Structure formats: structure tokens, C-alpha cells
Amino acid sequence: MKRFLPIFLAGAILAACQVDTTPDYATQRLERGNARVAECIATRCETLDLDSARLAEYAVLGTMDHLRVLMTSYNDFASLDDIATLGALKELHIGASRVTDLSGLSALPRLHLLHVQQLDVSDYTPIRSLTGLRELAIGNSNFADLALLRGMKDLRVLDLSYSEVSDLSDLGGLRKLERIELLGLELDDLSPLLKLRGLKKVSLETYDASDKVMAQIKALRAKGVEVVEAEVVIVC
């Protein structure tokens, strides 16, 4: 007498015998990165987005002198030496990458936008040379010294959220500053913001803020500045 396996059991055995040809996530990221670079080289694109993608060798980026905007965040990009030849670059996004040394920024004097948030960097002094910056994101880090930004007279957008900045007094010279992100900072004096005539928007957290800070927020609003108070969710 013939015997047959139950349909569900036969299906399970068949599935177990098949070879899984689905590429893993790391391989998918590599393939995505290679494809984007190849297309960019072929079309001589000015903007290359490698966010969450990756390359086996990032040195190829240094040959792409047509680039003006490079986004290589959330991946294993590790050395600015790989892009030292891209002197015409205007925007650079390397947040949450593996870069630990910012000295290579000296080779990129034309940058207008720089995102270097969430990096394991101990020395931020190289950003001092980028006096043409209009937007800087440097939060989620151990950055603390706003004096390094004094020469950035054209800076309009600044994100310091979740950094170690605790004193805003060195912002006084940034007269073109329009928007500043201060989430997660412990600040006891916002008066430097009141001196910024071009300021339009401030984002911060006011949980446990002092009466002094709340009064300064009121003064900012009276000047027409939009103050966004982010809600803090306390998990017990």
C-alpha cells in the first residue's frame, strides 16, 4: 500500500532541502553601494547618496572629482583621506560612520554643509578652518567647545543636540544664525540667543528648566523667535 506524507509535512521537508539564495543584509548594502557609485561615475553625478550602503573600498570616491554633495552616513566609511582630493565638495554627511579623525577636513575648504553627528571623535579643532559653513550638525557627541565656531560668520543652521555643550556664550558672533537645535542639553542661561538678531527658530527641552530659562524663552518668543519645546518621555 502506498503511503503519502501529509501535505504540510511534505512542504516543510521540501523547503528545508532548498538552498537559501537570498543575500544577507551586508551583501545587499555592498551591492547597493557599488551600484550607486557605478551609476554616478557613468553620469558624472554631483550628488552621491551612500547612506546605509557601503563599499569594499572607499578610495574610489577620491576619483570622483565631479561630486559636490557626498552622503556616506550610517555605514563603515572610516577615513577622510579617501576623499582628500574632492576639494570642490560643498556638502558632506558622515554622521554615524566610523570616522574618528577630522583632520582631513582641511582638504575640503569649500564645504557649506557638514554633518558629523554621532562620531567617536576626540579632537574637533579641525572644524575651525571651515569658515564658510552655513549648516553644521555636530550633536550626539562629546563636542563641547563652541569657541571653535567663532569664525563661522555665515552659519545659519546649527544642531548641537545631545552634545556636551553647556554654555552658549560663544554664539554671540554668529549673527546670521537662523535655527539652532539644543535638544538634550543642560542649559541654565539662554541669554546669548537673545542677542542673535537673525534667529528664527530654537528647539530645546524644558523639562526641569529653571524660572530664569523659562523667562528667557518667553523673551525669545516676544522677539518673534519660534521656540519648540520638545516633550520628554520619562521611562520608569
Side-chain angles (χ1 to χ4, degrees), residues 43-174:
T43 60
R44 292 189 63 79
C45 74
E46 294 191 354
T47 299
L48 176 59
D49 183 358
L50 292 176
D51 285 356
S52 298
R54 60 180 299 270
L55 301 175
E57 294 291 340
Y58 287 91
V60 66
L61 299 177
T63 67
M64 302 169 69
D65 58 2
H66 43 88
L67 286 179
R68 297 297 178 268
V69 178
L70 176 59
M71 294 174 278
T72 179
S73 300
Y74 304 99
N75 59 26
D76 57 354
F77 177 74
S79 177
L80 292 174
D81 291 343
D82 289 331
I83 58 172
T85 56
L86 304 184
L89 208 60
K90 294 181 179 180
E91 294 188 14
L92 179 62
H93 305 247
I94 55 174
S97 67
R98 295 185 183 177
V99 171
T100 59
D101 181 3
L102 296 179
S103 59
L105 291 174
S106 61
L108 308 172
R110 298 184 184 180
L111 285 178
H112 289 168
L113 180 151
L114 178 64
H115 286 192
V116 288
Q117 68 277 22
Q118 204 172 331
L119 295 182
D120 185 15
V121 170
S122 59
D123 182 12
Y124 285 94
T125 55
I127 66 172
R128 178 184 287 161
S129 66
L130 302 176
T131 55
L133 283 182
R134 297 174 185 172
E135 178 172 331
L136 174 63
I138 198 167
N140 286 279
S141 66
N142 60 3
F143 176 75
D145 189 4
L146 286 179
L148 296 176
L149 313 186
R150 287 176 181 169
M152 299 180 185
K153 305 300 183 182
D154 290 325
L155 199 63
R156 290 166 171 77
V157 179
L158 178 59
D159 187 350
L160 300 170
S161 297
Y162 304 102
S163 67
E164 295 186 5
V165 170
S166 58
D167 183 352
L168 302 179
S169 57
D170 283 310
L171 292 178
L174 305 183

